[in-house]
Amino acid sequence: IITKMKPKFNGFLVLLLVLFAQLTFAQERAVSGTVTDDAGMPLPGVSVQIKGTKTGTQTDFDGKYSIKATSSQILVFSYIGMKTQEIAASSSKVNTKLSGDAQQLEGVVVTTAMGIKREKKSLGYASQQISGKDVNGGAGSTNVANLLSGKAAGVEVQRNNNFGGSTNVVIRGNKSLTGNNQALWVIDGVPIDNSNSNVSSQQVGGGGYDYGNNASDINQEDIESINILKGAAATALYGSRAANGVVMVTTKKGKSDNKIGFSFSSGFTNGSVDKSTFPKYQNRYGSGYGIGSSFLGTGTPDTVDTSNDASDGDAFNNQPVYQWDAFTPFSPNYGKATPWTAAKNGPVTFFNNAHTFVNSIALEKSTDRSSLSLTYVNTNQTGILPNSELKKNQISARFSQKVTDKLTANAYAAVTLQSTVGRNSTGYNDNIMGNFRQWWQTNTDVQAQKDVYFASGGQNVTWNWTDPTDPSGLKPAYWDNPYFTRYQNYSSDDRTRLFSYASLNYEIAPWLSALGRVSLDTYKQLQEERRAVGSIASGFGLSPVNESSGYQRNEIDFQEINYDFMLNFNKKIGEDISLNGVIGTNIRRNKRDNVLSSTIGGLVTPGIYALSNSRLDLPFPREAKISSGVNGIYAQASVGYLDTYFVDASIRRDVSSTLPDNNNSYVYPAVSGSFLFSNVVKADWLNLGKFRVNYAEVGNDADALQLNNTYTRVPNFQGQPLYTNSLLLPFRSINKNPDLKPERTKSFEVGLEASLLNRRLGFDITYYKTNSVDQIVAAAVSSGSGFTNALVNGGNIENKGFEIQLNGTPIKTKDFSWEIIVNWSNNRSKVITLPNGLDNLQLGSFQGGVTVNAAPGEAYGALKGTDFVYTNGQPTIDQATGKYMITTSSSNTIGNITPDWIGGVRNKFTYKNLTFGFLIDTQKGGDIFSLDMYYGLASGLYRETAVGDIRENGLLNPGVAPNGTPNTVKTKGGSIANSMGYQAAPNKAFIYDASFVKLREVSITYNFPKSMFENTFINAASASLVGSNLWIIHKNLPYADPESGLSSGNSSRGYSVGSLPTTRDIGFNLTFKF
């Protein structure tokens, strides 16, 4: 049951903070001030010492300090990662700003859970920080998640090529068998929603659109830094939703120079198709399903059989024939015979160059008591497909005000307005890319299809006539004109999102402060899909049968509110002991409303896309109204001794509305320790050395509405209302479980990090092991129960591995430096047990008969399907047909989606005002099934299907006869389908190694000398040439990018079907600061 928030809570919080504001404390005669970083943010934990003495103190959470000193004494301010400052204590007020030291260990001062800033040396867990300038090291992306590729050890970023599509970010492997495995995104300590709204069938290749993941709404111009919190010990304070790690975004603050700063940036990027990720077609054979099937036998000239969608027909011979364009008056070839030859303009000419324009302006102002930052970003992107455009406008503001010396108010708000037209279809059904990659006639000229579409005023003049010799047959057999599809059967979506928070922080004492914060994350989204009159019939909307026209709209309304109250403490006990931590509570409330509706029976009036234009009575819409909540309390404390030994402990208790009333609370602890051995081992070559270890547990509740069975309204039966517990009746129905328990992940981690040789070399090595138990899964049950599956607890999945981060500065002179950062990790996943003694849990099923599974003893994501029959370890050849013998079972393990390791290497070279940087991103291992090769080889599209005389005389397959002797029998000639593709080989033959090496990012930046702008209003200027995905140095998957996928989520890996080609993006950027 959801606990309702009473208005009194807000009133009580405000009253409490007001009462704190009335408190006064006696001020001692002392030297005091505030220490900030380059961005003007207060620095807690800065050592303030009187030079030549042992007298010292530390700054508090607001960067403040107070110390007794004479006017002749010198104050020494030091902080690891910052340059030490020495300032005379000649005034009673001494403020200072510490600048980052480029020689120091990268990311020493980091933002941790709940937005708390801590020294990295005191942390007993792994984290990795990426500065804002390093986040976007190449051509920009409309999705910030894409920019993390290769930049953090242990972080798997699974992109895809969908226009405006979603990106999957998983840290240290999949921990939940069927639940959410994506990292939690957090802005300034406040979690945000990162879900996608793609339908379940889209995520397993059944067709539909990828509407993107919601982290793409983050304003990239606001990012000061990103810190990756990897293990449970690092994320436990965020509760169950952070069981998969945290991507912590810290936003920019106003400058601290008491001036108004204004900046303007403008960038343009051009994207062109990487042809290594698109088919290379054979040009010897045309339309048909076998030699002798290309023509209808209508005389001389003959007529091409346009009703098929393959290129396994007769050889091209330049003889005149009537092709598809001879039967439409909108073609210049109407009534004419044209040469029987491969088309001049193949499918690669269908693509445009993609263009992205990004313009931003920013305003900053800061004084010693307030700061303000305003940002506006306008993005306009067109894709490589015709009629595709994404427009995004983002405006954000951050404000901080010291109301009194003890009370500080902070507020942040970001609004995103996004409108997208023409996302690409995905999956097997009704997908132009599937058409081009699997079922196509190489004699069809794509540009001729374009010409007739526009000449006809937008009619569906297809290359795939059912029967060109019969006027009634001039309609699509399988495929529409691709331009008709792009301009008539398109999707559009609009999203308006607001993320905001407001907080009050009161300093109760120099070592104790109270923070109250309220945050709101809300958006409204409308998704519309259209199918024009005259289209080939296909699955659409809520109709139970294929529809040749229709309109669908999906309305989504989301809201999340978080209420936080925290007591933060940072106390120095004597000269040797430090104590800091937090005690707090978090109350979270989520609401989601969803209404999906569509026409049925087609449209009455062409071109009018409205529900009221439905030919038949509207079906009942699918409506969902979901509310959920979590109440959490937590505590964390860190004790340091001699600034060398640190011990952290935390505990959190959550109460979740999605679990049973009598079992809806769960507690999870964490403990960690770190030892700075560089303070004990004194060596000139060792600047910093730390050993750390931690153990933690974290819970994970169920999704909403998993306790009781719910039902969906379907069409009436004999006038009576009818409901079903399955939208896929009778294929799958799930019996909910009122006795569910929370999932639990147990995590152990040990690490070693060091900075050596005057900070010129550093490393961070981590070993981790996690076990996730009491998994919530839908296990198969006897259909006699009335259900096909039932929700149960059980199972154990293990992830373990190493992470290595290396950073170095091989060369550093006055004018030149070379910096290098290496990230590498190998996650080993293993399913230990499944619920109810199951021997296999199917996670997804795809076209072609391949499934993704979890099976005991195997890594998560086992690909299963048909395999070769083996003799002495060699594929066995049927001596009657020359084809491979194939297993009758499709439960054979033929691959696994989990990579062996991932890594990235970043290099940055700086010479005076010029900087050159590049990133190499790589993945080793993991497997992917290509449905494109499965069908495309059989249909005769690819160049390897036309080598030599294999079509006429067959192919000698490598392997052995059943008796173990080498095979000597060729496949039968006449059709390539006898030798290649799905009819000639098992699923195993189309499993490819998903390894890749990519030149992910390149940038060249020139900072103009300030002397150029003397006596002008310009303070600084820079110009950059940038690029991304410039070169796939190595890959094994033919004609596609191994990263190409369908969506974010658990099914984002291991399946290649009808994906867009990758684009090489090159652009430039100009930035001016005033």
Side-chain angles (χ1 to χ4, degrees), residues 133-148:
K133 64 181 179 180
D134 289 332
V135 169
N136 195 347
S141 170
T142 57
N143 192 334
V144 66
N146 289 337
L147 304 180
L148 298 180

Side-chain angles (χ1 to χ4, degrees), residues 291-349:
I291 294 174
S293 66
S294 292
F295 306 105
L296 297 177
T298 56
T300 304
D302 209 338
T303 301
V304 174
D305 181 2
T306 61
S307 68
N308 68 76
D309 54 359
S311 295
D312 188 22
D314 294 358
F316 293 127
N317 56 16
N318 282 317
Q319 293 300 310
V321 292
Y322 293 113
Q323 303 197 55
W324 67 269
D325 51 357
F327 300 91
T328 172
F330 303 108
S331 169
N333 293 327
Y334 181 52
K336 299 178 182 178
T338 53
W340 178 237
T341 184
K344 177 182 178 181
N345 300 295
V348 74
T349 66

Side-chain angles (χ1 to χ4, degrees), residues 749-816:
E749 177 187 312
V750 61
L752 178 69
E753 56 188 285
S755 180
L756 314 169
L757 306 176
N758 198 25
R759 314 286 181 183
R760 298 285 289 273
L761 177 65
F763 65 82
D764 189 333
I765 302 174
T766 303
Y767 170 78
Y768 64 88
K769 179 176 178 290
T770 66
N771 286 85
S772 301
V773 299
D774 289 335
Q775 300 272 320
I776 300 174
V777 300
V781 296
S782 170
S783 58
S785 64
F787 300 89
T788 59
N789 298 78
L791 282 181
V792 295
N793 282 105
N796 180 353
I797 183 171
E798 179 180 272
N799 287 277
K800 60 184 178 181
F802 287 92
E803 297 168 349
I804 299 176
Q805 305 164 37
L806 301 175
N807 61 83
T809 308
I811 302 174
K812 185 173 180 64
T813 66
K814 178 182 176 181
D815 295 328
F816 178 77

